[in-house]
Amino acid sequence: MAGSTILPFNRPIMMGSELQYMAEAIAGEKLSGDGPFTKKCSALLEQDLGVPKVLLTTSCTHALEMFALLLDIQPGDEVILPSFTFVSTVNAFALRGAQPVFLDVRPDTLNLDESLLEAKITSRTKAIAVVHYAGVGCEMDAILDIARRHGVSVVEDNAHGLFGKYKGKYLGTFGALAAQSFHETKNFTCGEGGALLINDPKLVDRAEIIREKGTNRSRFFRGLVDKYTWVDVGSSYLPSDILAAFLYAQLENREKIQALRKDVWERYSANLKDWATKREVRLPHIPSHCDQAYHMFYMLLPTLELRQGLIDHLRQHGIMSVFHYLPLHLSEMGLRLGGKRGDCPVTEHVSDQLIRLPFYNSLTAEDQQRVIESILEYDF
Ligand SMILES: Cc1ncc(COP(=O)(O)O)c(C=O)c1O
């Protein structure tokens, strides 16, 4: 729009010490993985969340790939997961030859619908991968109960949910394993990065080996073995300590970041409520037993045409907004694996309806007002 600056959908910002810490990492001449800043990030997350072991990874995608290796997923194993998620949730298991079993989501939170779960469990089911969409917890009590009764592992894709809680307990601490993302679109970032949260202590040793190219290098550095060697399959999932230095500066500011994002979320919610109610637009639902992670603000418009119309209307005002996941069971790969229209009706519907509004730590009240006013002008 002429005369006005473009308001982006996302803007990664530094919180203060990022460059200083990166310079320290470089000056310390320890640029590869598992240096001092990696250790600081892991210790901070372990302490805050109460997780026995946290390993930084190069991405959430790679932490998810480690899930599949750690659970020993074999060709033909079934993994139940929502169709409404990012491609990495499913790819991690598909890479090992697993058959994804796509489950629909609840219409209120857009999280895996636990009432449909038990019927999908078969003798081949190896794992249930939950995604805490928008950093709002899945119904973990019911999911864990079903999984326990059937002897199936639960793992959490918590890319959106760091520091969110379900019934007072941190997301990422329910499953045997959980994955975090530090991609530039997330609350805390180092550009590209992630973490593997290991809640089942039995998986720690093997996770360290898989992350270190299938070697027992971590045990060697701790003086537990006198030489290191190839002991298992693995890959290189360690981020450089330069990136960990950037991330540590962000994590140190976790309270400030979450408070900034809470303000943004609440301003959208308060200012859009009346407009939305009058037009049957749905705003996010946060169950009273969930503390959300303030990762995003989305709205569900009544139809695809109205959703596209709003994205176009905002673009004309120089404001960037986006839709989110396309149903995985209807993707090219999903169809090849047997997906059919109608398999996940809620997912198919909300995928057409959903719009995500600009959301970042440094979004000022003034810029946000510009977004809100443009939406209030969109009448139908
Ligand atoms: C639910 C979910 N899982 C995994 C990922 C992948 O994260 P990364 O880019 O860190 O690999 C994303 C990315 O946005 C995501 O939304």
Side-chain angles (χ1 to χ4, degrees), residues 57-64 84-89 130-134 157-160 179-186 191-195 295-296 324-325 356:
T57 56
T58 28
S59 62
C60 180
T61 301
H62 280 164
L64 292 163
F84 191 66
T85 184
F86 192 66
V87 67
S88 296
T89 323
V130 303
V131 178
H132 303 297
Y133 186 69
D157 179 341
N158 195 29
H160 304 174
Q180 301 297 152
S181 174
F182 301 120
H183 182 264
E184 80 168 36
T185 50
K186 302 302 185 291
E192 298 276 0
H295 174 54
M296 69 167 91
H324 214 184
Y325 308 130
R356 294 173 67 188

Side-chain angles (χ1 to χ4, degrees), residues 310-377:
L310 181 54
I311 291 177
D312 291 345
H313 169 81
L314 290 174
R315 194 182 300 116
Q316 280 156 21
H317 287 72
I319 296 164
M320 298 299 125
S321 62
V322 294
F323 56 89
H324 214 184
Y325 308 130
L326 299 171
L328 283 175
H329 68 287
L330 299 181
S331 63
E332 227 178 285
M333 181 76 173
L335 292 172
R336 280 215 297 279
L337 290 168
K340 286 188 300 300
R341 188 161 288 282
D343 283 352
C344 300
V346 179
T347 300
E348 291 164 29
H349 194 43
V350 297
S351 170
D352 283 347
Q353 297 176 283
L354 194 141
I355 177 172
R356 294 173 67 188
L357 301 181
F359 201 104
Y360 43 88
N361 304 348
S362 61
L363 181 58
T364 61
E366 197 187 357
D367 278 347
Q368 195 178 359
Q369 196 52 33
R370 211 178 116 196
V371 183
I372 291 164
E373 277 167 18
S374 300
I375 294 171
L376 298 184
E377 269 176 24

Side-chain angles (χ1 to χ4, degrees), residues 60-349:
C60 180
T61 301
H62 280 164
L64 292 163
E65 287 180 20
M66 288 182 70
F67 283 10
L69 289 166
L70 285 164
L71 296 178
D72 210 13
I73 298 291
Q74 299 294 322
D77 286 345
E78 292 176 3
V79 177
I80 302 177
L81 73 163
S83 173
F84 191 66
T85 184
F86 192 66
V87 67
S88 296
T89 323
V90 66
N91 238 339
F93 299 103
L95 266 169
R96 305 282 133 215
Q99 172 70 32
V101 176
F102 292 114
L103 205 64
D104 210 354
V105 291
R106 296 170 55 110
D108 55 357
T109 56
L110 315 187
N111 280 332
L112 182 135
D113 186 340
E114 69 284 354
S115 71
L116 306 173
L117 180 57
E118 196 149 17
K120 293 279 185 185
I121 295 183
T122 71
S123 57
R124 310 196 75 130
T125 309
K126 200 74 181 277
I128 300 162
V130 303
V131 178
H132 303 297
Y133 186 69
V136 178
C138 295
E139 285 308 317
M140 293 314 295
D141 281 352
I143 293 166
L144 290 170
D145 177 55
I146 294 167
R148 208 174 292 121
R149 283 193 279 106
H150 292 271
V152 172
S153 300
V154 173
V155 287
E156 301 172 73
D157 179 341
N158 195 29
H160 304 174
L162 186 55
F163 301 127
K165 289 180 180 170
Y166 167 80
K167 297 193 176 170
K169 190 169 155 25
Y170 282 115
L171 303 181
T173 65
F174 291 90
L177 299 162
Q180 301 297 152
S181 174
F182 301 120
H183 182 264
E184 80 168 36
T185 50
K186 302 302 185 291
N187 298 23
F188 308 91
T189 185
C190 56
E192 298 276 0
L196 177 72
L197 276 45
I198 309 170
N199 296 306
D200 179 351
K202 290 192 296 300
L203 298 175
V204 172
D205 281 352
R206 188 151 184 255
E208 287 185 337
I209 289 166
I210 287 171
R211 179 165 163 274
E212 271 281 18
K213 301 98 181 161
T215 72
N216 55 356
R217 196 162 182 254
S218 303
R219 288 173 70 77
F220 171 73
F221 280 125
R222 285 202 298 271
L224 298 173
V225 286
D226 59 6
K227 56 183 182 306
Y228 81 86
T229 184
W230 183 30
V231 292
D232 203 336
V233 294
S235 190
S236 184
Y237 293 126
L238 297 77
S240 157
D241 214 47
I242 307 175
L243 285 181
F246 192 102
L247 180 63
Y248 189 63
Q250 299 254 310
L251 290 175
E252 266 188 338
N253 281 289
R254 55 203 177 286
E255 280 175 19
K256 191 167 167 196
I257 288 177
Q258 292 304 79
L260 287 168
R261 298 182 76 94
K262 181 171 191 278
D263 284 350
V264 172
W265 198 95
E266 285 180 348
R267 280 198 297 264
Y268 274 138
S269 174
N271 287 287
L272 294 173
K273 209 183 313 160
D274 290 347
W275 173 86
T277 310
K278 279 192 199 121
R279 290 164 184 81
E280 296 192 5
V281 170
R282 278 175 44 210
L283 301 187
H285 171 70
I286 319 295
S288 57
H289 54 273
C290 291
D291 296 316
Q292 63 154 319
Y294 300 104
H295 174 54
M296 69 167 91
F297 193 90
Y298 68 82
M299 304 196 290
L300 297 172
L301 275 287
T303 64
L304 173 65
E305 292 69 31
L306 287 167
R307 193 273 305 270
Q308 289 308 115
L310 181 54
I311 291 177
D312 291 345
H313 169 81
L314 290 174
R315 194 182 300 116
Q316 280 156 21
H317 287 72
I319 296 164
M320 298 299 125
S321 62
V322 294
F323 56 89
H324 214 184
Y325 308 130
L326 299 171
L328 283 175
H329 68 287
L330 299 181
S331 63
E332 227 178 285
M333 181 76 173
L335 292 172
R336 280 215 297 279
L337 290 168
K340 286 188 300 300
R341 188 161 288 282
D343 283 352
C344 300
V346 179
T347 300
E348 291 164 29
H349 194 43

